[in-house]
Amino acid sequence: MALPVIVLALIAGLIAGVGANSAAAASTLRGVPPEFEPWILKSVAECEEHPELTPALMAAQLKQESGFSTSRKTVSYASARGPAQFVDGTWAKYRNDADGNGRADPFDVGDAVIAQGRYMCSLIGDAKNSGLGDDVRRLALAGYNAGWGAVLRYGGVPPRSFADGQTYWYVVNIMKMMKDYEGAPLLNVGGSGAGSQALRRAAARIGTPYAYGGGGPGGPGRGFCDDGNGFLRGRCAASSTVGFDCSSLVQYAYWPHTQLPRTAAAQYEATSHRPVARGELRPGDLLFWARRNGFVYHVGAGDGRVLHAPRTGRSVEVVPLDSAMPASDYRGATRA
């Protein structure tokens, strides 16, 4: 079965009536070197269980750690290495070859940022389970800098008397710098209906990798390749990628309120009895594109801008609606 490219379309503008976590996830980054931005977004998308880990938090932490340094001379007095400043013991636990160059290297931007995100995700989980009465982001940052044992020993962020205030000011500086990296929100998702709720849920997945055949109602999943789909530069990328294809993103967004089927064609068949004119679209209405033979291969929702998982090698992103698919392929809209 060829799984179609699917999108979730959203209204452009500023987020209105969205929770803090969704708003953060649906914001752009600013002031981040281009070689870091995709890895930050991917790392945040991996930590789906802890939305407190935001792109701006990751960016501010990298600024504090190394100033986004890519030099192989970036080594601290404590022998912490690379842009995310990993010491050997911690790197041994979180090391990975995220960029696929055949080595796990704390100096490689992709490897370092993905490891940073996984470590922070774990620490946020520890903070939530600790029962300590402080912002879990502050506790996780303190654990990253001083070790989780120090956080437990002091019952929170170590005081200024600890390590000459290094951890204390590390946490203060990063929390203050976060706003410097928060770009303009990408989406306008007002209202409380099922469609608005679905769009907000999908917005929190911006930056999640595209995985052909991957994902579903429960979230991102590992994909697969078939009939030429899921390949990137001659190799099967989908089988090693955890993410969404476009139809699973839409299905995930609406679940469980509306249990849409898996493919664009099936979603059109399930909702075609409720057609909607383009001028009457509401957030959450489904938009469909079809080939000349009538096969529906693409679905979205809304007007203005589109949140979608476009294709292998890309990630969930926001683009203008008119550029989502060829205009001549537009089939029509329905209401889920």
Side-chain angles (χ1 to χ4, degrees):
M1 177 180 65
L3 296 176
V5 176
I6 289 193
V7 298
L8 186 62
L10 303 174
I11 307 298
L14 301 178
I15 290 181
V18 185
N21 292 336
S22 293
S27 296
T28 57
L29 276 171
R30 64 176 179 177
V32 174
E35 63 268 35
F36 282 84
E37 184 168 357
W39 295 110
I40 291 172
L41 296 175
K42 181 176 182 180
S43 188
V44 168
E46 278 192 4
C47 186
E48 59 177 313
E49 68 271 33
H50 300 309
E52 293 85 359
L53 184 64
T54 64
L57 175 58
M58 292 273 295
Q61 187 178 23
L62 284 163
K63 174 65 175 179
Q64 181 71 24
E65 289 286 358
S66 69
F68 299 104
S69 174
T70 58
S71 170
R72 297 194 71 83
K73 295 181 180 180
T74 307
V75 181
S76 77
Y77 70 91
S79 298
R81 298 175 293 158
Q85 291 288 278
F86 274 96
V87 295
D88 288 345
T90 311
W91 178 249
K93 183 175 181 179
Y94 292 99
R95 67 193 302 273
N96 67 101
D97 180 20
D99 56 15
N101 67 357
R103 69 188 185 201
D105 189 338
F107 290 99
D108 288 350
V109 171
D111 298 357
V113 174
I114 293 298
Q116 172 201 1
R118 291 174 181 174
Y119 189 22
M120 281 294 291
C121 191
S122 176
L123 286 166
I124 290 173
D126 291 339
K128 288 181 176 180
N129 292 329
S130 70
L132 296 174
D134 199 348
D135 187 322
V136 295
R137 298 171 299 176
R138 285 172 39 84
L139 295 172
L141 289 169
Y144 192 101
N145 181 262
W148 187 246
V151 175
L152 293 178
R153 185 162 65 251
Y154 286 98
V157 177
R160 277 178 280 189
S161 59
F162 173 80
D164 295 325
Q166 181 188 94
T167 301
Y168 177 88
W169 290 112
Y170 176 88
V171 173
V172 168
N173 290 341
I174 291 172
M175 294 298 290
K176 185 181 297 185
M177 282 192 294
M178 282 176 56
K179 66 180 184 301
D180 297 335
Y181 297 100
E182 292 175 351
L186 293 172
L187 310 171
N188 179 3
V189 189
S192 58
S196 295
Q197 291 172 8
L199 299 187
R200 285 194 283 272
R201 193 172 194 218
R205 295 299 180 174
I206 292 174
T208 301
Y210 179 96
Y212 178 83
R222 192 174 302 278
F224 60 86
C225 296
D226 69 0
D227 298 329
N229 297 302
F231 290 88
L232 183 65
R233 292 189 289 274
R235 72 176 184 88
C236 180
S239 63
S240 60
T241 302
V242 175
F244 291 103
D245 64 21
C246 313
S247 57
S248 65
L249 176 63
V250 171
Q251 188 184 49
Y252 165 83
Y254 284 90
W255 208 275
H257 183 278
T258 304
Q259 298 183 12
L260 292 172
R262 181 61 173 81
T263 68
Q267 290 175 1
Y268 179 74
E269 182 177 353
T271 60
S272 60
H273 61 288
R274 293 188 293 271
V276 180
R278 183 161 182 169
E280 298 176 356
L281 289 170
R282 302 175 186 171
D285 287 347
L286 301 180
L287 309 175
F288 293 93
W289 287 259
R291 305 196 188 284
R292 290 183 178 180
N293 63 5
F295 175 72
V296 174
Y297 68 90
H298 195 93
V299 62
D303 191 13
R305 295 176 70 81
V306 178
L307 174 62
H308 71 149
R311 63 178 181 273
T312 301
R314 300 279 292 276
S315 298
V316 177
E317 63 184 3
V318 178
V319 298
L321 175 59
D322 289 340
S323 67
M325 286 288 127
S328 60
D329 288 353
Y330 182 68
R331 177 67 175 267
T334 66
R335 187 155 293 158

